[in-house]
Amino acid sequence: MKLLTHNMLTSHVRGLKPRGGFPLHIQKENLGQSWGGKLGGSVHFVPSLPPLQCNFAFLLSLPAPVGHQVEVLEGELRCPASGRRFPISRGIPNMLLSEEEA
Amino acid sequence: VGCDRSKNLVDICGEKNFQAFVCDALSVPIRSGSCDACISIAVIHHFSTAERRLATIRELVRLLRPGGTALIYVWAMEQEYKNQKSKYLKEKNGSKDKEEEISTDVSQRSLSDQMPGSSNQDSACSSQLLSDSKDKDCDAKPVADSRLPVHTNRTSFNSQDLLVPWHLKGCNKKKEERIDEVLLPAGSKGSQELSPVFHRYYHVFCEGELEAACRSLDCVRVQKSYYDQGNWCVILEKL
């Protein structure tokens, strides 16, 4: 899951106040880099970023193209309002809700 | 970004380095009004009531910003249209089992290239779809005969609501191989009957049905409505 993708996702648990599910907090276990070089300042900055409440234009404008190239491979997304966790495995977030939650 | 309800299918997208996530089409975890464009290809026809099909369209429209557009493809009841048989019907003889119905319920051009081809994963997909088809919609009027007909692949549709068989053939690398024998002990004959068959629910759309459903939403304008290789298609714009 690239940061650009993360920026699109929101929690959709029922009963949240409007915009309450965005942005999801990233809890990473394993980050990937999809380019040869290193991000200046190291990839560790990602989990310590405040939730990215920004738009694509901003992400694309960052000096290192962060949104494109930093990926969360294993980890979780946490809903800021409900605390509900959505797992990320092999770069794929599973956002499926149960019957009760939807 | 892509999404599907089948985790196994979405994992394949991940293996190919596409950005995708798992979700239900009735509840897409994306903020309202944040998409310039959406596509829904061969999805809505798997929902078992008119209400749910409309809810899926409504959800798609919710994602669009004003002026954004959506493309929807669904399987058509009319597999022969204007005297032309669709590719689905034409490939009746000598069709490869692996391609059966999975990759051909949509136009065979660039769209079907993106359809999943691996039979390994489809079994999980089919199981999920089976449970979708048991949708208990208590608001529906009781039907005289509530059994769903099972379709014969590569033939015309006799009913709008039906189950389409899908034969799980097991791992295969080459399209040309007859791979049923891989699943079975050496020397067994009549392997055909022992391959598991899954039944996937479809509601195939009649001419004008998809368009009418889209028009029933008040924040939407139908830009284009057409037939493409056995599919009814709509391009709509969010107002």
Side-chain angles (χ1 to χ4, degrees), chain A residues 2 5 7 10 12 90 93 95, chain B residues 11 19-22 27 29 31:
Chain A
K2 299 188 179 179
T5 303
N7 194 248
T10 180
H12 53 145
R90 294 184 286 193
M95 310 299 295
Chain B
D11 281 344
Q19 291 293 291
F21 54 91
V22 185
S27 178
R31 288 172 291 155

Side-chain angles (χ1 to χ4, degrees), chain A:
Chain A
M1 183 200 68
K2 299 188 179 179
L3 288 189
L4 274 174
T5 303
H6 163 262
N7 194 248
M8 292 189 74
L9 292 173
T10 180
S11 168
H12 53 145
V13 174
R14 188 174 39 183
L16 298 180
K17 69 182 204 296
R19 308 275 159 175
F22 178 85
L24 292 154
H25 292 251
I26 302 175
Q27 240 105 20
K28 76 107 179 116
E29 265 128 54
N30 191 5
L31 275 183
Q33 300 174 199
S34 51
W35 78 110
K38 277 194 156 67
L39 179 66
S42 96
V43 295
H44 298 294
F45 90 95
V46 170
S48 62
L49 267 181
L52 292 172
Q53 216 163 33
C54 52
N55 59 27
F56 289 146
F58 172 71
L59 274 178
L60 289 170
S61 73
L62 294 175
V66 167
H68 280 310
Q69 292 178 351
V70 176
E71 288 198 64
V72 179
L73 297 178
E74 304 291 329
E76 280 182 342
L77 294 169
R78 185 168 58 83
C79 172
S82 67
R84 212 278 199 190
R85 288 159 198 277
F86 300 94
I88 305 173
S89 76
R90 294 184 286 193
I92 302 292
N94 190 333
M95 310 299 295
L96 267 181
L97 294 173
S98 66
E99 294 268 337
E100 300 81 43
E101 291 172 306

